[in-house]
């Protein structure tokens, strides 16, 4: 099977498995796991933030950020197709008790004026705007890179209104690799950020949230409340450290694979690639073949290629380090033949 469903499917490398095996560990709830501490310090330094916290997943990281920044009854602003709104099972309502106000995005990019217009003024009828969330790269916009200039403009508005900005940077390092910019070009324009170690970076488990020390102190408590205070967790932080320190450079290769796939799909009659393919995600509309996404996903599965449904007639192909260029070429050939 050639598995292009997601970059979450990667298996840990030999180096990650060995790092887990040899990890120096302690009870992290007592703050005594040296491997976790090392990972958090390294992550904070790479991201240019005062402090960082190791969490179990991207969803947990985003939810802890929302819980830490807001109070029940607040309203949060986020892009209409953002992961936090679209794919986190309504957790912000269920856990933080906030309501969402979505803003339309173009390729994942929200217009700063729309953000400013959506911020609530002083009125007893209104909820307080407690948080603005951005996503970079933007998953449902097909892995689109949100330019730092846009983040900067939104952050400036947020600061004017004393509202924090959180970035879901599950694939932030894909944005870094695609743009050639320094990671801090992105992270300086937000108060807090979540990055996933277990997507393109290939770790088996884990995410990081980063921000200032006061935020991380409160976030640590929310993590505990959610049952995310773990004990000898250096066992899984060690592969995360390998991911963070050795796997960022290679993301560009995943982007090359996606570009090859885009080209191949573009040559198939009735299939239309609908995103720019900035990074490792290709989204295609298959309605020209008279098929629903479900039918198309099933057809490919029967022929050895796994992909994800994305909409009624759209499908997503995601490249990652566990799929070689040879496999991408083979998948392209299978689709062409079909
Ligand atoms: N995305 C997954 C699915 O949940 C859709 C995928 O296969 O792409 N933020 C963004 C932008 C994400 O794409 C994801 C996962 C998350 C957060 C959540 O991360 P996890 O799966 O670790 O909770």
């Amino acid at each position: 099977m050639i598995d292009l469903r997601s970059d979450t499917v990667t298996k840990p490398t030999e180096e990650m498995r060995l790092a887990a095996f040899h990890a120096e560990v302690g009870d992290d709830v007592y703050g005594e796991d040296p491997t976790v501490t090392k990972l958090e310090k390294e992550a904070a330094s790479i991201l240019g933030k005062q402090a960082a916290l190791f969490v179990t997943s991207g969803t947990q990281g985003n939810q802890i950020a929302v819980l830490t920044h807001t109070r029940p009854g607040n309203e949060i602003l986020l892009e209409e197709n953002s992961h936090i709104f679209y794919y986190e099972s309504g957790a912000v309502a269920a856990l933080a008790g906030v309501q969402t106000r979505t803003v339309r995005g173009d390729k994942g990019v929200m217009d700063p004026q729309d953000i400013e217009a959506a911020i609530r003024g002083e009125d007893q009828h209104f909820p307080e705007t407690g948080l603005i969330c951005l996503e970079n790269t933007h998953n449902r916009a097909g892995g689109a890179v949100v330019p730092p200039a846009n983040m900067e403009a939104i952050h400036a508005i947020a600061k004017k209104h004393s509202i924090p900005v959180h970035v879901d940077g599950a694939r932030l390092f894909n944005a870094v690799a695609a743009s050639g910019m320094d990671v801090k070009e992105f992270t300086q324009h937000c108060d807090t950020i979540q990055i996933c170690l277990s997507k393109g970076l290939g770790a088996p488990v884990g995410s990081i949230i980063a921000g200032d020390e006061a935020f991380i102190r409160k976030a640590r408590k929310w993590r505990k409340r959610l049952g995310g205070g773990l004990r000898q967790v250096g066992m899984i932080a060690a592969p995360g450290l390998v991911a963070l320190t050795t796997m960022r450079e290679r993301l560009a290769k995943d982007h090359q694979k996606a570009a090859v796939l885009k080209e191949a799909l573009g040559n198939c009659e009735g299939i239309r690639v609908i995103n720019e393919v900035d990074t490792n995600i290709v989204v295609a509309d298959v309605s020209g073949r008279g098929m629903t996404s479900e039918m198309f996903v099933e057809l490919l599965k029967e022929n050895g290629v796994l992909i994800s449904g994305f909409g009624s007639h759209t499908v997503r192909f995601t490249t990652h380090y566990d799929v070689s260029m040879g496999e991408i070429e083979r998948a392209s050939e299978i689709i062409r033949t079909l």
Side-chain angles (χ1 to χ4, degrees):
M1 278 287 182
I2 302 172
D3 195 344
L4 301 171
R5 285 172 302 169
S6 182
D7 46 11
T8 58
V9 302
T10 52
K11 309 247 168 66
T13 61
E14 184 73 15
E15 191 185 351
M16 290 178 191
R17 290 170 191 269
L18 284 172
F21 185 80
H22 293 291
E24 210 186 318
V25 297
D27 189 325
D28 187 48
V29 177
Y30 287 99
E32 289 172 3
D33 190 302
T35 310
V36 176
T37 304
K38 192 168 168 197
L39 171 63
E40 290 175 345
K41 283 218 160 79
E42 185 72 32
S45 151
I46 291 170
L47 296 169
K49 297 290 178 199
Q50 280 177 4
L53 186 70
F54 184 51
V55 295
T56 54
S57 67
T59 302
Q60 192 187 58
N62 286 334
Q63 292 307 318
I64 289 174
V66 175
L67 283 158
T68 307
H69 282 303
T70 64
R71 281 185 295 120
N74 278 178
E75 182 166 76
I76 65 170
L77 302 182
L78 66 188
E79 201 274 336
E80 64 184 352
N81 281 303
S82 61
H83 195 278
I84 295 176
F85 179 71
Y86 197 95
Y87 281 128
E88 299 191 8
S89 324
V92 293
L95 305 178
V98 297
Q99 69 180 30
T100 49
R101 183 157 189 197
T102 55
V103 173
R104 210 185 58 79
D106 179 19
K107 301 192 187 98
V109 177
M110 293 179 284
D111 186 330
Q113 283 180 7
D114 292 343
I115 297 273
E116 185 139 43
I119 293 171
R120 303 291 195 141
E122 272 297 311
D123 186 310
Q124 65 172 328
H125 296 89
F126 295 159
E128 284 149 19
T129 306
L131 181 65
I132 297 167
C133 298
L134 310 180
E135 183 173 317
N136 208 356
T137 63
H138 193 292
N139 185 347
R140 286 200 62 81
V145 178
V146 175
N150 176 259
M151 299 174 72
E152 183 177 13
I154 292 174
H155 197 211
I157 289 166
K159 271 200 250 177
K160 197 167 87 187
H161 295 271
S162 305
I163 300 168
V165 173
H166 171 69
V167 174
D168 176 354
R171 297 188 179 83
L172 180 76
F173 293 112
N174 292 87
V176 171
S179 64
M181 289 175 173
D182 190 87
V183 61
K184 294 187 185 86
E185 294 284 326
F186 293 89
T187 58
Q188 67 179 312
H189 303 307
C190 66
D191 299 280
T192 61
I193 185 153
Q194 181 275 121
I195 57 144
C196 284
L197 301 168
S198 66
K199 299 202 164 51
L201 300 183
V205 180
S207 275
I208 291 285
I209 47 178
D212 67 22
E213 264 152 18
F215 169 84
I216 292 299
R217 213 172 18 255
K218 282 207 239 166
R220 190 178 292 282
K221 192 147 187 172
W222 271 114
R223 186 185 67 172
K224 187 79 180 98
R225 287 191 182 110
L226 297 176
L230 303 176
R231 304 297 177 172
Q232 287 71 30
V233 67
M235 296 294 288
I236 55 171
L241 194 54
V242 174
L244 187 65
T245 52
T246 70
M247 301 289 276
R248 284 180 284 142
E249 300 292 307
R250 54 151 302 284
L251 290 170
K253 290 193 185 144
D254 295 345
H255 302 173
Q256 285 159 11
K257 291 176 226 166
V260 167
L261 201 53
K262 174 190 179 183
E263 172 89 20
L265 290 171
N267 291 331
C268 294
E269 215 185 298
I271 299 180
R272 197 165 53 88
V273 173
I274 58 169
N275 68 327
E276 305 273 339
V277 191
D278 289 349
T279 57
N280 66 328
I281 294 176
V282 185
V283 182
D285 184 328
V286 297
S287 53
R289 300 229 50 96
M291 288 177 130
T292 63
S293 54
E294 231 169 89
M295 289 155 74
F296 193 80
V297 167
E298 199 46 44
L299 177 69
L300 260 59
K301 187 176 173 185
E302 283 161 11
N303 287 276
V305 181
L306 295 175
I307 59 168
S308 293
F310 212 49
S312 59
H313 293 86
T314 50
V315 292
R316 186 186 79 167
F317 302 75
T318 309
T319 60
H320 51 82
Y321 89 85
D322 262 353
V323 66
S324 66
M325 189 60 101
E327 285 174 307
I328 291 292
E329 278 157 9
R330 220 167 65 233
S332 305
E333 194 47 45
I334 291 169
I335 297 163
R336 236 191 321 263
T337 311
L338 287 170

